[in-house]
Amino acid sequence: MVVRLLLGLIFVLVAFAVVRALAPARAALAGIVLGAGAVVLVALNRQAITSVEFWAGLCGFAAILSALLIVIHPNPMVSVLFLIVNLFSVALFYLILNAQFLAAIQVIVYAGAIMVLFLFVVMLLNLKAEEGLRGGGGPQRYGAVVLGGLFAGLMFHALRNRGPRPYFEPGSFDSGFGTARELGRLLFTRYLFAFEAASLLLIAAMIGAVILAKRRIR
Amino acid sequence: MRVEFFLLVAALLFTIGCVGVLVRRNAIVILMCIELMLNAVNLTFAAFAHESQSMAGHVFVFFVMTVAAAEAAVGLAIVIALFRRRRTTDVDDASLMRW
Amino acid sequence: MDPTVTRVLAEASVKIALFFGVVLTVIAYMTWVERRVSAWIQDRRGPNRVGPFGLLQPLADGIKFLFKEAITPPHVYRPVYLLAPALIFIPALVTFSVVPIGPTMSLFGRRIPLLIADVDNGILIILAFASMGVYGVALAGWSSNNKYSLMGGLRSSAQLISYELAMGIAIVGVLMATGSLRLTDIVTHQITNGWNALWQLPGFLIFVTAAFAETNRLPFDLPEAETELVAGYHTEYSGMRFSMFYMAEYANMITASALATTLYLGGYHVPGLAALGLPENAAAIVQVLAFCLKVAMFLFVFVWVRWTLPRFRYDQLMNLGWKGLLPIALAHVLWVSFLVLGGRA
């Protein structure tokens, strides 16, 4: 069932990308295609609506759709917004995978701090939508799309030929897994050196950012 | 729920990010696509951590987030410096080594 | 469906409806309180025509806002322009769902905890949603496509990030003392060990200052400074959309007050209540009332400060955040960690 869901998802996304590329001004048309795809998906798996698989599939749908829009959309600000949507869907995946602390810091660090920085820079530079997204473009552009397709195929192949693994029930694990307490214990015992090194990295990045963005160094 | 599902989504996200880095010429969007790729890798780590019931994967995600934060700060500072000099954020215009 | 699932769902929906009904009413009446208190401070009368003491004024305002034409200026970026008011309003309300307003009550033969979601990572969820609040303001400023709005949005994103840092570090002191991220644990810890505000006074003051900045209230209301930026990020909004911003400000105030109460003033704790020997439900009601009283006190301080202090200059704001509050917060964390090591908590 998961495979069917995923295949439907990929089909709808490809249809969406094609519609957007052919008729860039008609966002509504792309929306209709998407909505029809979603209705068909739900009709195909009517019992699935109460299962975790369905909601995980919806999350994956949101994640991949927003990722596509980051790349496709000509306006950098809209890309920032869709990256935020993407980060939220990945945070939901973390919740499904029982990594509640990771989900929380994903929202705080990524969506709350890093993306605000991006938003701030886009607003500060007052970037407008680019013209050259579709026209122009060298061979690199088409080559990238082809190679990306090949890369995705390679990953798909690797996943298909992975050894059989047990089916797991989401959210049915011992209580300690994924909590801040356990992660903190690991960070301050086994990975203490890496943790301290990370703090050094952060301070280096901080000083570097200040010096780079400073108007003039005296 | 099979772990393959998460791996597949992560693989697709990584590919989209990778293509985005190559296709887009706006430095900020390229940085965002790099964040997307890092996220895909994080998702893989979390999925494997769950499958093997070991928190080590979570520790890696934690460090990747730290690196991502540092990378975003320095990267955006470079973009701002570039914009000050050349009034553009297009990476194709930043091909000269001087000024 | 499974009967227990149905019951849990019903319980949760009733709680959500009650909580948000109360919060929305308080938001409406805060506008009235603000105007009456400001009038009192400035030796005026304030709204006193609609109903006794002007008590029906919020209703009249609401009707006025609803019937005003919601103009969408032609130069805005429409999808984001329409999204921004919701983005600023929702996080403020959602944050409230992890705040415990009282102990457990026994109703209809069930034990009902008086909060919507008792999550393991309560504090982290609060920080996460607090950091979401910036998007509403920044995007409203950007999508309005107007230089004043853009500057308001820029200011607010810089301001919120810098004060969030100080706020988060101040909260770390509370976390270290409690050893848990769960808000109910923080309250019960304060019940047995004394209120955090008593021995973490610097942290408490930093938290309250940062809360003023996070809610965009005077003296930190630079994103909407009307004398320099017209009205900042909501210049281009009118009608009900404008009132969403207005309501979000009060929702943020209420949430910030509830958080300050929970983290530092013992939450719903009333000293000496256990000695009275009240029945459980009566004690719970007294404690809920005590919680409301503490929150009301904070809300009054918010209004009081607004009509007392003038606005900061932008560089003063940044200096206070980065050179004042942040080092003090760090020193405070160090101090608290010594106390915790020495067995204070």
Side-chain angles (χ1 to χ4, degrees):
Chain A
M1 200 211 72
V2 177
V3 175
R4 208 201 302 173
L5 250 175
L6 271 177
L7 286 180
L9 190 153
I10 291 166
F11 171 75
V12 170
L13 287 174
V14 169
F16 174 77
V18 167
V19 169
R20 255 209 85 97
L22 290 181
R26 308 240 175 88
L29 187 61
I32 290 169
V33 170
L34 261 187
V39 168
V40 168
L41 267 183
V42 173
L44 277 177
N45 304 280
R46 205 173 312 144
Q47 303 90 343
I49 207 158
T50 51
S51 67
V52 184
E53 278 88 349
F54 175 75
W55 294 106
L58 212 62
C59 253
F61 184 77
I64 295 172
L65 176 67
S66 52
L68 270 180
L69 280 167
I70 297 169
V71 177
I72 292 174
H73 209 282
N75 194 334
M77 186 57 115
V78 179
S79 292
V80 171
L81 294 184
F82 278 111
L83 185 49
I84 295 166
V85 174
N86 187 280
L87 295 173
F88 263 97
S89 6
V90 174
L92 288 177
F93 275 135
Y94 288 158
L95 281 185
I96 295 172
L97 287 168
N98 230 13
Q100 31 170 321
F101 182 71
L102 284 190
I105 59 170
Q106 165 96 356
V107 176
I108 294 176
V109 174
Y110 259 122
I114 298 181
M115 290 325 291
V116 176
L117 208 59
F118 274 98
L119 195 81
F120 187 80
V121 171
V122 173
M123 275 167 71
L124 187 73
L125 306 185
N126 209 0
L127 298 177
K128 297 280 186 281
E130 309 172 15
E131 309 295 328
L133 184 63
R134 267 168 297 274
Q140 184 186 7
R141 188 155 295 176
Y142 305 104
V145 174
V146 171
L147 286 180
L150 281 179
F151 187 64
L154 186 71
M155 291 226 185
F156 204 73
H157 180 75
L159 283 178
R160 287 294 294 272
N161 295 318
R162 215 167 147 265
R165 286 289 168 170
Y167 186 89
F168 69 80
E169 204 58 53
S172 62
F173 285 93
D174 54 321
S175 53
F177 186 76
T179 55
R181 191 181 293 274
E182 286 304 308
L183 189 71
R185 187 164 293 147
L186 273 179
L187 278 181
F188 286 105
T189 52
R190 228 174 119 188
Y191 298 94
L192 182 64
F193 178 74
F195 186 78
E196 299 297 338
S199 69
L200 252 178
L201 172 77
L202 280 180
I203 198 144
M206 207 153 75
I207 295 170
V210 168
I211 287 180
L212 277 171
K214 221 172 143 74
R215 210 170 276 276
R216 190 173 294 121
I217 302 165
R218 294 212 173 90
Chain B
M1 188 107 221
R2 286 190 181 278
V3 79
E4 272 81 359
F5 170 77
F6 298 98
L7 299 183
L8 190 56
V9 171
L12 282 174
L13 288 182
F14 190 87
T15 313
I16 293 171
C18 207
V19 172
V21 169
L22 295 172
V23 167
R24 295 302 297 266
R25 298 291 87 194
N26 186 333
I28 292 181
V29 179
I30 289 178
L31 276 177
M32 279 196 273
C33 290
I34 293 173
E35 298 291 335
L36 189 64
M37 286 155 79
L38 288 174
N39 245 286
V41 174
N42 277 353
L43 184 55
T44 325
F45 272 130
F48 278 127
H50 194 276
E51 193 191 26
S52 58
Q53 282 297 291
S54 143
M55 288 279 292
H58 291 193
V59 176
F60 276 96
V61 175
F62 183 86
F63 286 125
V64 171
M65 281 186 190
T66 318
V67 173
E71 172 246 311
V74 176
L76 288 174
I78 292 174
V79 172
I80 289 182
L82 175 70
F83 190 82
R84 283 235 177 87
R85 302 266 166 170
R86 315 292 306 266
R87 313 308 294 174
T88 176
T89 55
D90 196 318
V91 284
D92 283 340
D93 293 344
S95 51
L96 288 176
M97 290 291 278
R98 297 189 301 131
W99 88 103
Chain C
M1 233 190 281
D2 194 6
T4 47
V5 175
T6 324
R7 213 162 45 210
V8 168
L9 274 182
E11 193 186 305
S13 354
V14 168
K15 270 195 229 168
I16 291 172
L18 259 176
F19 264 62
F20 291 154
V22 169
V23 171
L24 289 174
T25 318
V26 174
I27 288 172
Y29 271 91
M30 271 314 289
T31 60
W32 177 78
V33 169
E34 175 114 60
R35 291 160 75 180
R36 290 293 287 199
V37 171
S38 72
W40 175 61
I41 288 176
Q42 298 175 343
D43 212 7
R44 293 184 284 114
R45 281 188 194 281
N48 59 357
R49 296 286 140 172
V50 195
F53 307 106
L55 271 174
L56 295 180
Q57 185 70 40
L59 204 66
D61 286 344
I63 291 171
K64 186 189 78 176
F65 272 131
L66 269 179
F67 282 97
K68 276 204 164 182
E69 184 185 0
I71 303 162
T72 309
H75 54 79
V76 300
Y77 191 77
R78 220 177 130 84
V80 179
Y81 175 83
L82 298 181
L83 191 69
L87 274 185
I88 192 170
F89 195 53
I90 292 169
L93 279 184
V94 172
T95 317
F96 207 82
S97 61
V98 292
V99 176
I101 62 158
T104 317
M105 261 181 121
S106 303
L107 282 180
F108 315 115
R110 292 171 49 78
R111 310 266 308 152
I112 296 176
L114 290 181
L115 80 168
I116 294 175
D118 192 8
V119 246
D120 212 16
N121 289 331
I123 291 269
L124 293 179
I125 286 181
I126 286 169
L127 287 177
F129 277 105
S131 56
M132 288 302 101
V134 60
Y135 287 117
V137 178
L139 290 176
W142 175 78
S143 68
S144 292
N145 221 346
N146 163 336
K147 63 181 169 192
Y148 296 120
S149 303
L150 186 69
M151 287 186 72
L154 269 175
R155 282 184 178 186
S156 93
S157 51
Q159 169 181 334
L160 263 71
I161 277 212
S162 7
Y163 279 81
E164 210 173 83
L165 220 57
M167 189 183 210
I169 292 175
I171 292 178
V172 168
V174 176
L175 296 186
M176 278 197 301
T178 317
S180 165
L181 295 171
R182 195 187 281 266
L183 283 170
T184 41
D185 287 350
I186 290 172
V187 174
T188 44
H189 179 266
Q190 291 183 72
I191 290 176
T192 48
N193 294 22
W195 295 1
N196 282 333
L198 296 179
W199 63 287
Q200 295 196 11
L201 197 60
F204 175 58
L205 294 179
I206 291 168
F207 182 88
V208 172
T209 316
F212 274 89
E214 294 274 309
T215 49
N216 283 332
R217 291 280 295 185
L218 265 164
F220 301 112
D221 71 335
L222 285 115
E224 49 187 302
E226 61 270 22
T227 44
E228 328 159 26
L229 296 183
V230 193
Y233 57 92
H234 49 53
T235 305
E236 303 285 358
Y237 285 87
S238 56
M240 206 54 206
R241 287 187 208 129
F242 168 74
S243 78
M244 290 280 272
F245 285 106
Y246 204 63
M247 280 156 72
E249 182 181 327
Y250 289 99
N252 271 320
M253 273 165 65
I254 294 169
T255 307
S257 309
L259 281 181
T261 307
T262 309
L263 293 177
Y264 288 98
L265 289 191
Y268 51 77
H269 175 49
V270 183
L273 187 71
L276 286 178
L278 288 172
E280 193 197 3
N281 280 353
I285 289 171
V286 170
Q287 284 172 320
V288 171
L289 288 180
F291 180 82
C292 295
L293 192 70
K294 291 175 191 173
V295 171
M297 189 200 79
F298 269 110
L299 288 175
F300 178 75
V301 172
F302 266 104
V303 176
W304 185 12
V305 168
R306 172 170 177 182
W307 297 100
T308 307
L309 293 181
R311 185 178 299 132
F312 275 86
R313 225 169 48 219
Y314 194 66
D315 59 321
Q316 293 171 330
L317 174 93
M318 284 292 145
N319 277 345
L320 178 67
W322 289 99
K323 296 184 189 165
L325 292 186
L326 192 60
I328 298 175
L330 285 170
H332 173 252
V333 165
L334 203 66
W335 182 58
V336 171
S337 55
F338 277 125
L339 283 181
V340 171
L341 273 182
R344 163 66 184 77

